[in-house]
Amino acid sequence: MAGRILLVEDNEDDVTLTLRALEKNRLHNDVEIVRDGQEALDLLFRRGEYASRAPSDLPELILLDLKVPRVDGLEVLRQIRASPITQFLPVVVLTSSSQERDVVQSYQLGANSYVQKPVDFDDFIEATRQLGMYWLVLNKRPPG
Amino acid sequence: MSKEPQSDSDGGMRPSVLIVDDVEANLVALEALLESVPCDVVRASSGNEALRQLLRRNYAVMLLDVQMPDMDGFEVARYARENSSTSEVPIIFITAMHETPENVLRGYSTGAFDFLFKPINPDVLRSKVQVFLDLHQSRKRLKDEIEAHRATLAELEAFNYSVSHDLRAPLRPLDGFSQALLDDYGDRLDAKGVDYLKRIRSAAQRMGMLIEDLLELSRVSRAELHRQPVDLSTIVSSIVAELREGDPVRQVEAIIAPGIQVQGDPRLLRIALENLVRNAWKFTARRSQARLEFGASDGNVPGGTAGEPTYFIRDDGVGFDPTFAGKMFQPFQRLHKVTDFEGTGIGLAIVSRIVRRHDGRIWADSAPDRGATFFFTLPATARWAG
């Protein structure tokens, strides 16, 4: 069973901190973590070790770091948007950089939000709270 | 263009001169005259051949006989000008005096050209060719320099990118795990231990701010300038509104002159004004009733030039010692202790760069505890609508 949130992140510190921030907002029980872009695609498209998953077993929200090994975040995003199975999945780019190039490319490829991970952990908790509230509670998804 | 040999692009080669004449004896004579000039001479015995040659390499100058059968010199020049890869080649027409009517000259608006009159004076020929060789050299040098700058810029871009991604990342665990320690194990720490952890956090956050500000400084230096009409008053009003929202307890009277219009880059000007207004907000924090003013004048202000539209932001905050007024537009220069007023010391450097990019000037007027006024000009805007 997939979590409601798929976290694509290779940095262990960031994994721990993100889980902690989600935990503070009581969202941590529903998180599945993959450590690189290829694994994220395997999971979403039921390939490799994820081949036996049910087609309906998809996350409700993807938190995507841009700098992940093997397949980078932007390419993961592109493939998510290119497939009818995953095209409507909310993808929040959650990354270190505030470089315009990253922001613009992410939105061009169909990211739903772009959030720069704040250095201040309190701000990070608040950011994850708002993300969870918006994408998992308020946001209405297309049928099907 | 793709067939062009590397002759011109690598430094050591001599520049090339193309000589064009349908009479073999004239070509021989020209070549002999150019013997002492440091260049490679290439011959063409017809207009068509000349045009073919021009496509093969980058010539410093073409000596072009006007009177040739089939295609005369002016025609060759016209064709050369029409092709983007040959349009820049300088031309020296070789002609009898009566063959240079005014109307012929009008056609050659692009690229340099000159005339040599028959019979050819060897010294005049050599000095005219030399002029174009020098021009060619300095153009080439300029081109190389631009190329080098481009490469540096690309490197800088890559550097910024990596700073933005990689240098910032370790700060998050520094801050986050300090907070985790405080949350989960805070009860086992005494006040000193808690204080140390708080200091680690604030240092990490400060470093994060520094990195953001440095990236911003570098961004405003490189960003392309998109000039359009900008209403500074509206921008200042919205910044003040944001500040009020974030700090509703503060009592700050804001006097904003309406309708101050300039020509400039709206994004950059907003960044500049944001820094100035935030400073005014910050340095008046100790006043129970603070005052902040934005306006424009005709330059009759301390340090101004009469007649030059000058904009200003004034506050009645703590001010600063005017002895250091010049220093504060340099990055990392702070006139106040961090413990008194937080900040990275980069904000005014950002403002200064933005103003300079608009060909303007920024200066400040203050005394300790008597408030501060920051003046700036934006000459490119040329119009004062205040």
Side-chain angles (χ1 to χ4, degrees):
Chain A
M1 174 72 192
R4 294 178 77 196
I5 299 174
L6 175 65
L7 175 62
V8 189
E9 174 69 77
D10 68 311
N11 181 318
E12 281 312 314
D13 285 340
D14 277 331
V15 169
T16 309
L17 288 173
T18 306
L19 287 177
R20 194 175 165 87
L22 291 168
E23 187 184 340
K24 296 272 171 198
N25 294 300
R26 282 184 229 83
L27 293 163
H28 65 295
N29 287 329
D30 276 335
V31 186
E32 183 158 23
I33 304 158
V34 289
R35 258 74 182 187
D36 67 57
Q38 185 58 55
E39 204 186 336
L41 293 172
D42 285 351
L43 183 148
L44 292 169
F45 299 118
R46 299 188 295 130
R47 292 185 298 232
E49 57 175 303
Y50 298 96
S52 57
R53 287 214 170 187
S56 59
D57 202 358
L58 287 170
E60 283 178 46
L61 172 64
I62 299 172
L63 299 178
L64 178 65
D65 187 21
L66 287 185
K67 271 197 142 185
V68 282
R70 299 214 281 171
V71 179
D72 72 36
L74 289 176
E75 177 58 22
V76 171
L77 179 55
R78 197 191 62 73
Q79 294 199 28
I80 288 172
R81 288 295 175 254
S83 158
I85 302 165
T86 52
Q87 61 176 336
F88 294 132
L89 281 182
V91 177
V92 172
V93 171
L94 189 60
T95 197
S96 286
S97 142
S98 60
Q99 293 277 293
E100 211 168 284
R101 160 158 57 126
D102 288 329
V103 182
V104 170
Q105 283 184 343
S106 296
Y107 280 118
Q108 274 172 347
L109 289 171
N112 296 84
S113 302
Y114 187 104
V115 177
Q116 184 189 21
K117 290 180 217 165
V119 170
D120 187 334
F121 189 66
D122 299 327
D123 294 346
F124 192 43
I125 292 175
E126 175 58 17
T128 49
R129 187 189 71 77
Q130 290 187 19
L131 285 175
M133 172 59 80
Y134 185 81
W135 290 111
L136 298 176
V137 180
L138 291 176
N139 188 48
K140 188 160 170 57
R141 305 181 60 193
Chain B
M1 217 156 112
S2 57
K3 281 184 183 162
E4 181 183 316
Q6 289 304 302
S7 64
D8 197 64
S9 47
D10 54 32
M13 296 296 264
R14 304 202 310 170
S16 304
V17 173
L18 181 62
I19 56 177
V20 191
D21 202 309
D22 59 311
V23 181
E24 172 77 9
N26 290 348
L27 288 174
V28 173
L30 275 175
E31 200 166 355
L33 288 174
L34 292 172
E35 191 108 89
S36 61
V37 181
C39 65
D40 288 335
V41 178
V42 178
R43 299 179 186 190
S45 54
S46 73
N48 271 319
E49 204 189 324
L51 291 172
R52 268 200 303 279
Q53 274 298 340
L54 285 179
L55 289 172
R56 288 221 194 113
R57 63 170 110 165
N58 190 354
Y59 284 95
V61 62
M62 164 163 68
L63 296 177
L64 183 56
D65 185 32
V66 170
Q67 255 196 345
M68 293 188 293
D70 301 330
M71 192 192 295
D72 74 16
F74 292 132
E75 217 173 330
V76 174
R78 201 171 57 242
Y79 282 123
R81 291 294 185 252
E82 278 168 8
N83 186 321
S84 63
S85 64
T86 57
S87 65
E88 295 286 309
V89 66
I91 300 171
I92 300 176
F93 294 104
I94 300 176
T95 172
M97 196 72 83
H98 65 271
E99 284 172 337
T100 60
E102 283 292 304
N103 57 4
V104 172
L105 306 186
R106 288 205 195 99
Y108 312 116
S109 48
T110 54
F113 66 93
D114 200 348
F115 285 92
L116 263 174
F117 301 109
K118 291 176 186 170
I120 292 173
N121 176 322
D123 291 331
V124 173
L125 167 74
R126 280 192 285 264
S127 71
K128 284 196 173 185
V129 168
Q130 192 59 53
V131 166
F132 285 111
L133 291 181
D134 292 348
L135 182 74
H136 183 74
Q137 269 324 104
S138 45
R139 264 193 180 185
K140 192 167 132 35
R141 209 164 37 236
L142 218 57
K143 212 177 114 196
D144 292 349
E145 271 170 28
I146 290 171
E147 211 44 61
H149 281 303
R150 274 218 187 101
T152 313
L153 217 60
E155 262 170 41
L156 195 69
E157 183 82 32
F159 175 76
N160 280 346
Y161 191 78
S162 121
V163 167
S164 181
H165 269 285
D166 304 331
L167 215 56
R168 219 172 151 274
L171 297 172
R172 284 196 305 275
L174 215 57
D175 184 87
F177 290 122
S178 301
Q179 183 57 42
L181 262 179
L182 283 171
D183 283 352
D184 300 355
Y185 303 94
D187 53 355
R188 293 188 219 170
L189 292 167
D190 60 11
K192 210 172 196 177
V194 169
D195 178 52
Y196 288 167
L197 279 174
K198 284 185 176 157
R199 288 192 196 199
I200 293 175
R201 284 196 77 192
S202 78
Q205 288 170 20
R206 206 173 136 65
M207 177 88 184
M209 277 193 325
L210 269 168
I211 291 174
E212 283 309 299
D213 282 1
L214 273 178
L215 288 170
E216 176 96 310
L217 180 64
S218 140
R219 213 162 16 226
V220 303
S221 310
R222 288 171 302 133
E224 227 174 281
L225 221 59
H226 300 287
R227 286 181 202 276
Q228 60 192 72
V230 182
D231 190 321
L232 298 184
S233 308
T234 311
I235 296 179
V236 172
S237 299
S238 75
I239 296 167
V240 171
E242 272 169 36
L243 287 167
R244 282 195 203 286
E245 208 174 307
D247 200 352
V249 190
R250 290 279 311 273
Q251 294 285 318
V252 180
E253 181 192 8
I255 301 152
I256 300 164
I260 296 179
Q261 296 265 349
V262 299
Q263 286 283 329
D265 185 296
R267 210 171 63 93
L268 291 184
L269 289 176
R270 189 183 176 91
I271 293 170
L273 289 169
E274 224 163 57
N275 275 288
L276 289 173
V277 175
R278 276 178 194 282
N279 272 352
W281 192 267
K282 180 166 73 180
F283 290 114
T284 51
R286 290 180 190 166
R287 290 213 183 271
S288 51
Q289 287 278 336
R291 208 178 115 110
L292 175 165
E293 192 184 345
F294 171 67
S297 85
D298 58 2
N300 271 318
V301 293
T305 309
E308 184 176 28
T310 303
Y311 313 94
F312 64 87
I313 287 182
R314 178 174 295 142
D315 67 60
D316 61 353
V318 292
F320 56 85
D321 184 341
T323 324
F324 306 111
K327 271 176 81 178
M328 65 190 176
F329 297 106
Q330 309 279 330
F332 304 114
Q333 294 296 330
R334 295 175 40 86
L335 302 185
H336 301 276
K337 281 181 284 188
V338 181
T339 44
D340 288 347
F341 296 98
E342 62 173 22
T344 57
I346 300 174
L348 282 178
I350 291 173
V351 178
S352 165
R353 283 218 189 155
I354 291 173
V355 168
R356 276 213 312 273
R357 294 212 51 196
H358 287 79
D359 304 319
R361 195 160 76 78
I362 181 163
W363 68 99
D365 183 40
S366 176
D369 283 320
R370 300 239 313 274
T373 308
F374 286 85
F375 298 100
F376 58 97
T377 63
L378 301 165
T381 70
R383 197 161 45 92
W384 173 43

